Amino acid sequence: MAKSNLEAVYQLIVDETEAVLKDNSDISRIEALMESLLTLQIDDGKYQYADLRKAVQFAYLYQLNEENVQANHQLTPDSIGYLIAHLVGLFKEKDHINLLDAGSGTGHLSMTVKEHVDQVNFHGVEVDPVLSRFNVALCDFLKVPMDIYPHNIIEPAKLTKADIAIGDLPIGYYPLPVQGYTTAFKEDKSFAHLLMLEAAMSHVEDDGIGIFVVPSNILEENNETIKEYISTEATLLMFLNLPNTLFKTENMHKSIIVLKKGYKPIEDIEVLIGDVPDFKNAEQMKLFLDRTDTWYETYTSKKK
């Protein structure tokens, strides 16, 4: 049985990665995969963008199965990436937009958005040197321009102002004391994901949008600083709970939060709060996406 285009590209990438490892046994599998993306010559006209992106994704997951890696080297699942892409498309109010990926990692989330949203200038900030280099290799392989800053987004930086910021934010405590952040705790270590959210929003244009994957209990536990932030510096538009089936345990559960920069109470319309259905249920998923579209139409009509 003939291989699909996706399977063919996947096999080319895996074989090239093994060849790189054979000649360079002292590097990690992720680094070998990165090298293979830079050296492989793929016929652009033969394969669709989605096949190329997914082939890299499956090759990356294969390498993870062969070699234990730290948690923040995991990829954002396509199901979540597609939903974020839908929301980016929903809030995209100009022909061309600048999009900032906070903690862009391998660049996989941005490249998933690219698959579904046209005319986007991509910018990523990633402090991990391996991930930022992989981001470069992925963009080179997919031939997608992306400005990638090997920088800690929590620290001051001059970045291009974005219309929309996205991010699958790593959860945990930030090891250093910080100043000038509303989301920072007065005592003890602050949450890195809250600081990254606030930092990303600081690089968004006034009235710009932030779309972030966050812990589902972000507004429930240790919530004083984030509640202050969304009542003074940002407006909460949506809070969407991701399906339980995506997570192994309850304490790993995540949601998508959508914010608008600048605080202004939403008049005559409620914040969209809801549970995202199981992504495998196509009918329920369509109804849910229709619900987000209807909410957005009402929201924009009230802004006028």
Side-chain angles (χ1 to χ4, degrees), residues 79-99:
S79 52
I80 296 176
Y82 292 155
L83 180 52
I84 290 177
H86 176 79
L87 295 172
V88 170
L90 205 60
F91 285 96
K92 181 175 178 281
E93 297 182 344
K94 300 189 299 188
D95 289 340
H96 287 81
I97 64 167
N98 285 313
L99 184 141

Side-chain angles (χ1 to χ4, degrees), residues 14-287:
V14 170
D15 290 347
E16 181 68 19
T17 302
E18 293 299 328
V20 172
L21 280 170
K22 187 176 180 180
D23 294 335
N24 302 272
S25 59
D26 57 335
I27 65 175
S28 71
R29 283 188 165 271
I30 298 304
E31 290 173 311
L33 174 57
M34 183 194 318
E35 291 299 321
S36 74
L37 296 179
L38 292 171
T39 56
L40 266 176
Q41 299 296 319
I42 299 291
D43 182 357
D44 296 346
K46 186 176 179 180
Y47 303 105
Q48 294 183 343
Y49 175 89
D51 290 331
L52 296 172
R53 183 191 66 77
K54 290 178 181 178
V56 176
Q57 175 191 16
F58 292 140
Y60 188 96
L61 294 174
Y62 172 79
Q63 305 309 325
L64 294 191
N65 286 331
E66 298 295 314
E67 182 176 77
N68 291 327
V69 300
Q70 52 188 298
N72 69 335
H73 284 200
Q74 300 289 339
L75 298 178
T76 302
D78 269 1
S79 52
I80 296 176
Y82 292 155
L83 180 52
I84 290 177
H86 176 79
L87 295 172
V88 170
L90 205 60
F91 285 96
K92 181 175 178 281
E93 297 182 344
K94 300 189 299 188
D95 289 340
H96 287 81
I97 64 167
N98 285 313
L99 184 141
L100 173 66
D101 190 343
S104 57
T106 63
H108 179 251
L109 176 57
S110 283
M111 296 303 101
T112 304
V113 172
K114 164 66 178 174
E115 188 176 325
H116 296 272
V117 186
D118 294 326
Q119 297 179 314
V120 176
N121 299 319
F122 290 95
H123 308 268
V125 182
E126 176 52 57
V127 67
D128 187 304
V130 172
L131 295 183
S132 61
R133 292 200 305 273
F134 192 97
N135 196 341
V136 171
L138 176 62
C139 291
D140 182 79
F141 182 76
L142 296 177
K143 294 181 170 50
V144 177
M146 182 173 182
D147 293 327
I148 303 162
Y149 304 89
H151 180 78
N152 180 353
I153 196 169
I154 296 172
E155 297 176 352
K158 289 185 178 180
L159 304 177
T160 300
K161 280 288 185 180
D163 300 288
I164 297 177
I166 63 173
D168 184 355
L169 305 178
I171 300 171
Y173 289 99
Y174 191 62
L176 303 174
V178 294
Q179 294 181 339
Y181 278 87
T182 301
T183 57
F185 296 152
K186 303 297 185 290
E187 299 178 358
D188 299 325
K189 294 177 180 178
S190 301
F191 283 144
H193 46 280
L194 294 186
L195 298 175
M196 289 181 69
L197 180 153
E198 184 177 351
M201 291 299 290
S202 73
H203 296 293
V204 170
E205 300 279 6
D206 292 343
D207 293 328
I209 298 296
I211 305 169
F212 305 104
V213 181
V214 297
S216 291
N217 64 359
I218 190 175
L219 301 178
E220 299 170 6
E221 296 184 10
N222 298 309
N223 61 11
E224 293 81 4
T225 62
I226 185 63
K227 281 192 170 182
E228 180 182 352
Y229 179 74
I230 61 175
S231 63
T232 57
E233 299 177 42
T235 304
L236 177 62
L237 301 181
M238 297 182 180
F239 196 85
L240 310 175
N241 297 306
L242 292 166
N244 291 326
T245 52
L246 291 178
F247 308 101
K248 294 181 180 179
T249 62
E250 180 64 27
N251 64 352
M252 296 174 65
H253 197 272
K254 294 184 180 182
S255 300
I256 292 177
I257 191 170
V258 181
L259 304 171
K260 180 179 73 68
K261 185 172 182 178
Y263 178 69
K264 182 180 180 181
I266 303 177
E267 298 179 357
D268 303 322
I269 181 174
E270 294 182 351
V271 174
L272 180 59
I273 299 175
D275 296 327
V276 180
D278 192 312
F279 289 103
K280 295 178 182 178
N281 189 327
E283 182 178 355
Q284 289 298 314
M285 196 65 201
K286 181 181 183 306
L287 290 173

